[in-house]
């Protein structure tokens, strides 16, 4: 089993940057693909970015390509989401998740961290 804890959210002005972290427990972190998702009020939870087990492959939603970067450090059991050029529409609760495949179902989820971008 994997437990995930996100951090790094907060309030930032449009055009600013934030880096989210997701710390995972357990010794099998490197066995999981990791993803970041977000959910704004009244909306469904959407895929933002994903990364393969080794970190060699990354995937992004069109809305964040060129602005967000996902990375991982398997030695630290941590996955990151660097968010630049933030827009008010990026405001949401951000969740990290672990699964066997980036494009598959995610089995484990964190509790989420709030990101608010002011205009």
């Amino acid at each position: 089993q994997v437990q995930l804890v996100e951090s790094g959210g907060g309030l930032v002005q449009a055009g600013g940057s934030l880096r989210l972290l997701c710390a995972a427990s357990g010794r099998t972190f490197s066995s999981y693909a990791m993803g970041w998702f977000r959910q704004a009020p009244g909306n469904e939870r959407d895929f933002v970015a994903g990364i393969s087990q080794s970190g060699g492959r990354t995937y992004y939603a069109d809305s964040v390509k060129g602005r967000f970067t996902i990375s991982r450090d398997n030695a630290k059991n941590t996955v990151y989401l660097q968010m630049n050029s933030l827009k008010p529409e990026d405001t949401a609760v951000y969740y990290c998740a672990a699964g066997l495949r980036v494009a598959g179902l995610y089995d484990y989820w964190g509790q989420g961290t709030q990101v608010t971008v002011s205009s």
Side-chain angles (χ1 to χ4, degrees):
Q1 193 163 355
V2 177
Q3 292 184 325
L4 305 172
V5 179
E6 302 96 334
S7 62
L11 174 64
V12 64
Q13 288 189 331
S17 299
L18 282 175
R19 188 173 80 150
L20 304 184
L21 289 79
C22 174
S25 66
R27 293 174 289 179
T28 59
F29 176 73
S30 60
S31 299
Y32 291 94
M34 299 297 296
W36 284 98
F37 294 76
R38 66 186 181 187
Q39 187 169 20
N43 290 0
E44 295 184 349
R45 189 174 298 187
D46 293 326
F47 173 81
V48 174
I51 189 166
S52 62
Q53 284 83 341
S54 68
R57 289 175 288 129
T58 56
Y59 306 86
Y60 297 93
D62 288 343
S63 59
V64 306
K65 278 181 184 176
R67 300 188 299 122
F68 291 11
T69 303
I70 188 171
S71 61
R72 67 189 296 164
D73 185 338
N74 286 343
K76 296 182 178 179
N77 281 14
T78 302
V79 62
Y80 306 92
L81 186 67
Q82 178 67 42
M83 305 186 296
N84 299 329
S85 302
L86 282 161
K87 304 175 182 179
E89 51 264 43
D90 294 317
T91 295
V93 178
Y94 283 71
Y95 300 88
C96 72
L100 295 181
R101 295 170 53 216
V102 173
L105 295 176
Y106 284 80
D107 300 305
Y108 304 102
W109 293 83
Q111 83 290 346
T113 186
Q114 176 71 47
V115 171
T116 303
V117 185
S118 63
S119 57

